[in-house]
Amino acid sequence: MDTLPNIPAREQLTFGFQRGPAPGPRRFRVSPGAPHRARQARFRRAMPPDPRQAALPLAQEIDEVARLRLERRIGAHLRGELRVVVTDNRYSILSVRRGKGSYEARLHHMFLGADPKVVRALARYIARNDDEASAQINDYIDRNHHLIRLSLPGQGRPARLRPEGRYFDLEEIFDELNQTHFQGRIQARITWGRRTAGRAKRHRSVKMGSYSVEEQLIRINPSLDRAFVPRFFVEYVVFHEMLHQVHEIPVINGRRHYHTPGFVAHERSLPTYPAARRWELENLSRLLHY
């Protein structure tokens, strides 16, 4: 949830597609979504070899054959040398490095089974950052979202929760809103975000809150945990983030829309919404100083 000076419309999350060329390597990133499952197994070498795992080298060879085949399929539509690296990354689904007469593309394994239309779109995107190709790839990722793993054992650390602030207890606010407006249906955790060290300075914008679908975690900017911020405004920010668990995120023209008309109407049903918006506009300069 961003606040920008003199810009009434705001979006909190984006799906990592930008129109037009961008400097440096460009990455397709997936906003966390529905539960995923792992596709690829992880192989270990044992001494002595386990007879039950005799087929594993063959599985590895098949994966390499699939990678080479995809590399050739895409390369057939390109001028220059192409190297394809297949990954199981949850967030960076596609990234490209462009050199003089050469390309390196890091692709999620979901593209190994891509149809010819998607392969041609990959080639156009790799070669010239084509907008129409971006939309086609975006659609393909959405249709194959279930192939993105949620996590692997032993990877990642659970977020450390710090809901109790100096002036506001976020868990208390969350529980009250959940019971009053959602009949206790919202299943999420909540925490203050990380506090920045050093002296406060003026920023051009402030992201007041965010919701991670994958973690079911709400983070609130710790700059709101200050004496001059009224409780009803913190409640408004928390309410906004809770709504992300209730409303669908449609994809329109290749872009995800987080704040749909239904979302906005629901947000405005909060009794303190007018007061919160008015206070936000009146205190914008103070909010930007943190």
Side-chain angles (χ1 to χ4, degrees):
M1 180 177 179
D2 298 337
T3 298
L4 300 175
N6 303 321
I7 301 178
R10 307 186 301 282
E11 282 195 6
Q12 171 207 359
L13 302 173
T14 60
F15 188 68
F17 290 114
Q18 298 178 357
R19 300 183 66 84
R26 168 133 176 244
R27 297 177 182 272
F28 280 71
R29 293 186 180 275
V30 168
S31 295
H36 321 305
R37 57 184 172 85
R39 172 197 175 276
Q40 290 181 323
R42 294 291 183 251
F43 305 109
R44 294 182 179 179
R45 292 183 178 179
M47 294 295 290
D50 187 341
R52 295 172 298 177
Q53 298 187 9
L56 291 185
L58 176 59
Q60 289 178 309
E61 183 178 338
I62 291 173
D63 279 350
E64 176 62 11
V65 169
R67 184 197 70 80
L68 289 171
R69 181 171 182 267
L70 179 62
E71 188 175 82
R72 288 195 296 269
R73 292 177 69 201
I74 299 173
H77 302 281
L78 292 174
R79 292 182 178 179
E81 183 179 351
L82 171 67
R83 170 173 165 75
V84 167
V85 178
V86 176
T87 75
D88 197 24
N89 197 303
R90 288 184 293 162
Y91 301 111
S92 183
I93 304 303
L94 166 59
S95 64
V96 178
R97 290 186 181 274
R98 300 179 178 92
K100 292 184 177 180
S102 66
Y103 310 92
E104 179 179 291
R106 298 181 64 85
L107 300 164
H108 190 273
H109 62 70
M110 69 168 66
F111 289 102
L112 291 174
D115 59 46
K117 182 179 178 180
V118 174
V119 169
R120 290 193 295 270
L122 285 169
R124 294 200 310 275
Y125 170 75
I126 291 170
R128 58 181 183 272
N129 210 17
D130 184 82
D131 285 335
E132 183 180 352
S134 294
Q136 293 178 8
I137 295 169
N138 190 357
D139 181 64
Y140 181 83
I141 292 172
D142 282 333
R143 286 186 282 109
N144 291 274
H145 204 263
H146 62 284
L147 296 176
I148 304 174
R149 64 182 183 172
L150 177 60
S151 63
L152 289 175
Q155 287 196 351
R157 296 180 179 179
R160 180 183 177 185
L161 303 185
R162 297 175 294 272
E164 188 172 344
R166 182 176 180 183
Y167 297 97
F168 302 105
D169 186 330
L170 292 177
E171 276 192 350
E172 177 186 323
I173 292 173
F174 176 90
D175 289 341
E176 288 181 5
L177 291 171
N178 201 11
Q179 292 302 320
T180 303
H181 300 281
F182 301 97
Q183 294 77 50
R185 293 183 292 112
I186 303 298
Q187 301 295 320
R189 299 171 298 157
I190 191 166
T191 183
W192 292 106
R194 292 184 179 180
R195 298 180 183 272
T196 56
R199 297 179 59 183
K201 61 180 181 179
R202 183 174 176 81
H203 294 72
R204 296 182 61 185
S205 66
V206 53
K207 177 181 284 188
M208 292 184 291
S210 65
Y211 174 64
S212 168
V213 179
E214 183 179 64
E215 300 174 278
Q216 290 191 321
L217 177 63
I218 295 171
R219 292 182 175 90
I220 303 299
N221 194 317
S223 67
L224 299 184
D225 189 29
R226 292 188 280 181
F228 77 88
V229 180
R231 180 185 173 93
F232 68 81
F233 184 73
V234 179
E235 290 176 347
Y236 158 65
V237 175
V238 174
F239 182 77
H240 176 102
E241 302 308 332
M242 295 172 76
L243 289 176
H244 284 293
Q245 194 176 97
V246 176
H247 290 268
E248 297 291 334
I249 306 173
V251 178
I252 303 174
N253 295 328
R255 296 190 61 185
R256 291 174 179 265
H257 289 254
Y258 294 89
H259 301 144
T260 60
F263 183 104
V264 174
H266 198 164
E267 180 182 45
R268 291 177 176 174
S269 71
L270 184 69
T272 56
Y273 174 83
R277 294 287 291 132
R278 183 168 55 251
W279 186 90
E280 178 183 359
L281 293 175
E282 293 172 352
N283 293 271
L284 181 58
S285 61
R286 302 175 75 184
L287 290 174
L288 291 173
H289 190 80
Y290 63 95

